[in-house]
Amino acid sequence: MARNKFNVDEELEAEFDMTHLKRIMVFVKPYQKSIYITLFVILLANVATMLGPYLTKVVIDTAIPQKDMTLLAWLGVAFVASVIVTGLCMWYRIGAITRIGQDILKDMRFSIFEHLQKLPFAYFDSRPHGKILIRVVNYINTLSDLLSNGLINLISDILSVVVTLAFMFAIDVKMTLYSLILIPVLFVIVMVIKNAQRRAYQQLSNKQSNLNAYIHESIAGIKVTQSFSRETENHEIFTEVSDAYRESWMKAVKIQFLLWPGVQNIAVITTCLIYFVGIKGLGVEVSTGTLVAFVGYVGNFWNPVINIGNFYNSLITATAYLERIFETMDVEPDIIDAPNARQMPTIKGNVRFDNVYFRYEEGKNILKGISFDVKAGESIALVGPTGAGKTTVINLLSRFYDINEGEISVDGENIAEVKLRSLREQMGVMLQDTFIFSGTILENIRYGKLDATEEEVIAAAKVVRAHDFISALKDGYHAEVKERGSTLSAGQRQLISFARALLADPKILILDEATSSIDTQTEMLLQEGLEKLLEGRTSFIIAHRLSTIKNSSRIFYIDNGRIQESGSHDELMAKKGYYYQLYQSQFDMLQAL
């Protein structure tokens, strides 16, 4: 799929509209009380700030001409008080806005992360993980200024404009109208710039996503890179991707910064116009104090207008990222609980596939009418050529995908009609690519049963033969392992995974090539532990190493989406069919070694 490449720009599946802003308000709503308090403080600061030019007017027009020292002193006290009130309010505003904005960002990040946990495997298979990661981290962080300062500052600036206009109209209506004469010019500038700016930031988000995807891919594959001496080629690719990001960034910033000088120039021209009108008259007669006050008010008027323009800039920029964020949050999970889903009762372990068909999206059927019954406690081995459908069988049983036709039931309960969590909590899945989380070995084994004691963890590790190598480590069970268990061998990671599965005590256990990375000597030691692990529970085992499945209750040979034959090891060997040929070819290969 084209979108699953780092050098292919993502296409938006849904364009930005005003509902995106409404969705932001959903995250803002829990903090309404704090926002209202902050807005009151901002309003108080605006009123205190607007007093300055008015007090200056009174000083020039009244106190100084009348040589009224008492009035001048009181005006001085009032001016100092207004400055102090403004300073205190601004101090509160900065702290409150930052706190509210970061809380909103935290909620948004949690919301998208929580949603990602519910998305199907197909979503993660169809796009680079770096392009998913950037939406949770970088794109959310890009909204920081918008949410930490933008929304509240926008309201603050609107209040400031309203309060300023109120003072201006109260002093002189005609001068106020002259002050607003260039507003239409500003509107035209904004309309011309906004579309180009949004397109530029959409392109920037694409290039940023591509860069992040390539970095993530390069780090994940660093061992392969160094093994094949691909550093020079990778450097050239990185340079190309990075240059594309830089060019998009420069283009976007150039367009963004067109608005600020436009507004700034209009503000300066308006100030000049006020001086010109005040001095020449032009149908307006104002005192010196009024003219000085109006110059101050014009500054107080256009400064928030400039800020509103900057907010608009930020909003247009943010739309490019909001589109990506909400696009991810709008992806509907394929695997969800049915409307009337019920809790899965305690599983005994009876499993039934009844004429099951399955295909990926619009492709051909992977499974073609598979049917079988498994009794509680049986161990079922799935063998067959690559791509035959073995892993698909266990993925459907875990309900990682939904079937197209037929029915899968556990203890007579249709798994499509029970709550997903209640089903998976009673199942254990061990994959060939064992995932070890950063943390201690103890925490990794305890992952499936958080309330397990250390003694229970050690007991599980002893059963699966992991205790000896863990004890040999410097800090034993409290030894720290790196991300993905990079400091452990593949076999050690799988033994830890075995211990994790045993400790969780699942009723149905699935092993998908779970012993493939264990050496022959360790495998011999593990066989006894594996028997203990399988004891008393239904298990499905996929293994190419046939020596590990000889003791299974039944073996299903799967090919071309169907079960071609089934039976015990001895039965299938006597039958001399597909399984016999597979076993003999593997035996002959081992003999040749």
Side-chain angles (χ1 to χ4, degrees), residues 418-443:
V418 299
K419 291 185 177 179
L420 194 60
R421 185 180 180 91
S422 68
L423 172 69
R424 290 182 181 168
E425 281 180 337
Q426 301 184 68
M427 300 178 68
V429 180
M430 289 181 56
L431 305 176
Q432 179 179 4
D433 184 19
T434 301
F435 196 95
I436 300 297
F437 297 90
S438 56
T440 66
I441 290 178
L442 181 73
E443 291 168 342

Side-chain angles (χ1 to χ4, degrees), residues 226 239 429 437 552 580:
Q226 295 183 0
T239 300
V429 180
F437 297 90
S552 298
Y580 174 83

Side-chain angles (χ1 to χ4, degrees), residues 52-64:
Y54 178 76
L55 294 173
T56 302
K57 172 185 179 303
V58 176
V59 167
I60 295 174
D61 288 346
T62 305
I64 292 177

Side-chain angles (χ1 to χ4, degrees), residues 440-451:
T440 66
I441 290 178
L442 181 73
E443 291 168 342
N444 270 281
I445 296 177
R446 193 185 273 161
Y447 189 82
K449 187 180 179 183
L450 298 179
D451 59 347

Side-chain angles (χ1 to χ4, degrees), residues 76-93:
V77 170
F79 186 84
V80 172
S82 69
V83 171
I84 293 173
V85 169
T86 300
L88 291 174
C89 290
M90 292 301 294
W91 172 79
Y92 177 86
R93 165 184 166 172

